Amino acid sequence: MIAHQVSIFLENKPGRLEKVTSVLKGTGINIRAMTLSTSSAGWGILNLLVDRPETACKKLSEAGHPAVLREIVVVRMQDRSGALHDMLSLLTLAGLNVQNAYGTVLGDNKTAILVIDVEDTEHVQQIFDSAGVQALTSKEVYGL
């Protein structure tokens, strides 16, 4: 399944992140995962996995926060040494570059989730499908 994250260009100053979360809270949008990367130039990219990405992107843009939807692939993997390497090896063999990635371990401590942002999400999904890597359902990704 191809999913979406919301990416926001964000100035690295006190209160900027809180302004984004205020918009989402006011709209009743739940943040399921996030990453924040900043540069030495004082700007950064906030990537959010939320329960309603289209609505979040629209509301953030309306509030003056430059936001875009990005296609992502969200897959399940084992929580064990080398599991991430095995996933990335599949992509490297296909000549694909990972632009952004983040993950977490689920509460059972046996399963992890990997979110991958790449240029060709459909190709990545095909590679993972062929390797027996399980994508998360919409309910699992968005919590709906």
Side-chain angles (χ1 to χ4, degrees):
M1 178 199 110
I2 304 297
H4 291 89
Q5 74 181 7
V6 180
S7 296
I8 302 116
F9 192 57
L10 196 65
E11 191 174 15
N12 188 16
K13 289 190 174 180
R16 297 296 196 253
L17 182 58
E18 184 270 336
K19 287 182 181 188
V20 168
T21 60
S22 176
V23 171
L24 298 177
K25 179 181 178 183
T27 310
I29 292 173
N30 185 29
I31 300 170
R32 311 264 301 148
M34 68 171 268
T35 64
L36 175 61
S37 303
T38 58
S39 71
S40 60
W43 291 89
I45 301 291
L46 174 63
N47 292 306
L48 299 173
L49 186 61
V50 297
D51 60 353
R52 293 178 288 142
E54 294 85 5
T55 302
C57 189
K58 179 181 178 206
K59 295 297 183 180
L60 288 165
S61 294
E62 288 172 355
H65 303 286
V68 296
L69 282 179
R70 300 250 332 142
E71 284 189 349
I72 55 173
V73 176
V74 185
V75 294
R76 184 182 322 276
M77 63 183 203
Q78 293 179 348
D79 178 24
R80 64 166 176 76
S81 176
L84 178 60
H85 172 78
D86 295 344
M87 293 286 203
L88 296 176
S89 292
L90 294 170
L91 301 180
T92 299
L93 286 172
L96 295 170
N97 182 45
V98 175
Q99 295 175 326
N100 185 31
Y102 48 101
T104 189
V105 176
L106 298 179
D108 65 7
N109 289 327
K110 296 178 185 173
T111 308
I113 292 174
L114 178 62
V115 178
I116 304 172
D117 181 356
V118 293
E119 286 188 31
D120 191 347
T121 53
E122 289 182 21
H123 189 199
V124 169
Q125 192 61 59
Q126 291 170 353
I127 291 167
F128 285 158
D129 287 346
S130 295
V133 175
Q134 184 182 21
L136 272 64
T137 65
S138 293
K139 183 177 181 180
E140 291 172 312
V141 171
Y142 299 124
L144 301 174

